[in-house]
Amino acid sequence: MSKALFAGSFDPVHLGHLDIIRRASKTFDEVVVAVTVNLAKKNMFSVEEREAMLRQLVADLPNVSVERIDGLRSDYVNAHGITVDLRSLRSGTDLDYEMPVQQMFADMYENAETLVMFTSPQYSHISSNQVRQVYSLGGDVSKMVHPDTLKFMNEKFNK
């Protein structure tokens, strides 16, 4: 049985994330989408809000669950029977960032492999940072996020 982990900050969840999650749900028996805690980032949403957002957005995918990771991703992978650490790439810049991180984690995994899924071209320009920046400046992000994500954003910031 294949059990994949797709971990990230998801702040906020955008269409590129959902593309990977939906495609992964067709590829793996089980997909765990894990919201990670990154103390170095200034987040738009709390971890709990991001978990709730993701749960709503993947509710129609029976083999997808949403969890939280407070510590090392490798500890979670080893403790929860994860067989695939799924990473997504939009560009060479992502590869330059992901490769050394994944090489470090590969030594820490007991029974998991890292696999990369490329973001579909129509979403490859979207990042959470861009969504936050455009939104905070009053721009239209409706082509970058799911309508439910935009609703979360508007409710949080009373727009």
Side-chain angles (χ1 to χ4, degrees):
M1 181 171 139
S2 60
K3 185 175 181 181
L5 175 74
F6 182 49
S9 58
F10 305 107
D11 188 43
V13 180
H14 57 68
L15 294 177
H17 293 136
L18 293 174
D19 169 58
I20 296 292
I21 293 166
R22 292 195 175 283
R23 288 170 42 217
S25 75
K26 295 174 187 174
T27 306
F28 303 102
D29 297 321
E30 185 178 345
V31 178
V32 177
V33 179
V35 178
T36 58
V37 176
N38 184 341
L39 301 175
K41 286 188 176 183
K42 186 177 187 305
N43 293 306
M44 177 180 269
F45 292 100
S46 70
V47 172
E48 294 78 15
E49 289 169 325
R50 289 179 273 153
E51 286 178 285
M53 191 182 322
L54 278 162
R55 282 192 179 96
Q56 181 174 327
L57 293 168
V58 302
D60 63 319
L61 302 172
N63 65 330
V64 176
S65 61
V66 178
E67 300 291 332
R68 170 185 179 149
I69 296 178
D70 288 303
L72 285 173
R73 188 165 71 227
S74 57
D75 290 344
Y76 185 92
V77 164
N78 294 336
H80 291 86
I82 302 295
T83 56
V84 174
D85 182 12
L86 180 63
R87 306 305 300 159
S88 64
L89 294 181
R90 295 170 297 182
S91 67
T93 303
D94 284 351
L95 177 63
D96 290 341
Y97 171 80
E98 289 288 347
M99 186 175 266
V101 172
Q102 290 313 116
Q103 288 170 333
M104 175 193 66
F105 279 125
D107 286 340
M108 301 167 104
Y109 293 153
E110 293 170 1
N111 296 305
E113 290 291 334
T114 300
L115 294 178
V116 172
M117 187 175 279
F118 291 96
T119 304
S120 295
Q122 68 267 33
Y123 306 121
S124 63
H125 66 287
I126 302 172
S127 73
S128 292
N129 287 338
Q130 290 171 328
V131 171
R132 286 193 308 270
Q133 184 174 15
V134 170
Y135 185 82
S136 70
L137 295 171
D140 180 11
V141 297
S142 63
K143 292 181 181 173
M144 294 184 261
V145 299
H146 187 279
D148 289 344
T149 299
L150 186 56
K151 184 178 175 186
F152 271 97
M153 294 168 77
N154 288 337
E155 287 173 0
K156 179 150 180 107
F157 297 99
N158 300 316
K159 288 190 179 181

